[in-house]
Amino acid sequence: MAYAITQTCCNDASCVSVCPVNCIHPTPDEPEFGTTDMLYIDPAACIDCGACADACPVDAVFPVDRLRGPDTVFGPINRDWFRDHPSDHAWGAPAFPRSLPGGFGPLRIAIVGTGPSAGYTAQELLRRTGAEITMIDRLPVTGGLLRHGVAPDHQSTKRIAESFASVFHDPRLRMHLNVEVGTDVTHAELTAHHHAVVYAVGAAADRRLGIPGEDLPGSLPATTFVGWYNAEPTVPADAVELSAERVAVIGNGNVAVDIARILLTDPDRLTATDIADHALAALRAGRVREVVLLARRGPEQAAWTKAEFLALRQLPGVEVVVEDHPRVRAAIEAAGPDSRAALLAGLPLVPSGAAPGAARRIVLRFLSAPVELVAGADGRVAGVTVERTAPGADGADGADRADGSGGAVTVTVTGTGERETLPAGLVVRSIGHRGVPVPGLPFDEAAATVPHRGGRVVDPATGRPLPGAYLVGWAKRGPSGGIGANRACARETVDALLDDAEARALPVPAGSRRDFEKLVRGRRPDAVGLKELRAVDRAERARGAAEGRPRVKLATVPALLAAGRRR
């Protein structure tokens, strides 16, 4: 019986490299690799050896005959991908990893960040060179978005952190956590003590809507909401208030789907996860019954992946419906097998403002562009005004319709389309991330990126590389691609760094490794190292074991530092 890859696929291609018959696609050298939702196993070519299941870092690969419940759909999904993307499974030219030739002394490399892109970069350097590595993070814990971005009910995805454990424990790696580059140490000081600095700092800001009312209380960026339920220590426990029955989430990517799913999942199901204690308590006490996902474009342009959306449809006790509209209906009926719109087939179509039934409900509303967030009498957000991206509304000027939650949907018709104000006591803006300036490096405000070529930071005035400065992950390619995409991204940046090392183009550090450690201790006496990190991990796991959970995260910087001192 063949194997199949399921929802939690991380796309890092660990399985591809161990398959003896090359039946897992797309491979990293195929054009679809960077954009595919997941990887797929051809059941006609699979020899049932199980090597892919053993290599998978997130436990996403299973024999087809062992798939149960919501995962049963992935047998046909794997098979059908090869119907639409036929492959002869021929081997490509072997790609051997680069390494430095003999005669080079040990390189000293600083990596700013400890998330997946940083982990893959350190892994590449440790495997392929004799480099000594310094990892720096502004928080007292490692993991980046792997700890603070992945939804808590995706525990198998978080297992990829285990593959980085040996990296963080490597004797050639030193860790300085609770240290912020640009505040505690500068880029110039990093380059004075290292041959190269690799920035793996992600895209930390949210894109803004640019509409009136965006900053009202009760209007939150997705990074705040996700950090809140993941115990990100810079997000206060009271950052989210769940007294409203309806929440509007602006956006329809995977993060928006995650937020909707967490809001409506039975809290008892979340007790088996590492969700923040304060978030679990708020969800238990909350009144949310309906989440509306607002999308400016139609269903064929939906940004969520197929696997994430299929999981949403299987959420117990939650009804998923589509707000009816002629263009939406037409898109679903005309959808091809690879279209996002095809996944909506069979879902109930409901009129705008239709009252929910007894079940909790997710409403997918397309062709609705937010134009304003409106305030209630208490000054908090009370609704979002949206404009249909196509004219031809079915209501008259000034008409009201009951919206099913005690409020009213106000309808007007303008020269550009129908406008409606949808009552909502919480609005989460989930329209993408945006890069932020890195102190000491050039920054393009319009593109919200650090200028680079193939991972080398460049001077925008001259176009020449800045010696010893590199990027990886979202800081390099923008906020796109999942966890696994960072593996190939890291390899490209490390190749560029090794090319520069061979060309003797890396700056020679004036200070030693010991000098840098002394500098950090002087600037941040409360910096966290590996011993303290281990103590935090033990404390969180012990708290989790007492409650039958994988871990209970410490949710503030003081709590993390206190746990680290109890080593």
Side-chain angles (χ1 to χ4, degrees), residues 368-411:
S368 298
V371 294
E372 183 180 8
L373 302 187
V374 298
D378 59 357
R380 293 180 57 84
V381 70
V384 52
T385 300
V386 298
E387 183 172 85
R388 283 292 189 188
T389 55
D394 54 3
D397 287 351
D400 286 344
R401 292 196 294 268
D403 76 344
S405 63
V409 177
T410 304
V411 181

Side-chain angles (χ1 to χ4, degrees), residues 128-168:
R128 296 162 57 183
T129 75
E132 297 175 343
I133 296 175
T134 303
M135 296 192 82
I136 303 165
D137 200 296
R138 65 184 179 87
L139 295 177
V141 284
T142 59
L145 285 181
L146 194 56
R147 176 181 170 104
H148 298 126
V150 175
D153 57 345
H154 285 354
Q155 288 296 301
S156 58
T157 302
K158 292 173 181 278
R159 287 181 195 148
I160 201 168
E162 297 170 9
S163 67
F164 299 135
S166 61
V167 172
F168 296 153

Side-chain angles (χ1 to χ4, degrees), residues 112-114 135-143 175-185 233-234 519-530 532-533 536 556-562 564-565:
V112 182
T114 59
M135 296 192 82
I136 303 165
D137 200 296
R138 65 184 179 87
L139 295 177
V141 284
T142 59
M175 195 174 290
H176 301 290
L177 309 179
N178 200 37
V179 175
E180 187 163 9
V181 174
T183 301
D184 302 315
V185 296
T234 65
L519 173 68
V520 170
R521 286 196 301 271
R523 300 276 179 82
R524 286 306 298 253
D526 57 352
V528 170
L530 181 59
E532 292 85 357
L533 183 66
V536 169
T556 67
V557 169
L560 289 162
L561 294 178
R565 287 192 292 269

Side-chain angles (χ1 to χ4, degrees), residues 471-488:
L471 300 172
V472 72
W474 281 8
K476 168 186 171 184
R477 64 183 189 272
S480 63
I483 291 172
N486 292 300
R487 189 177 187 183

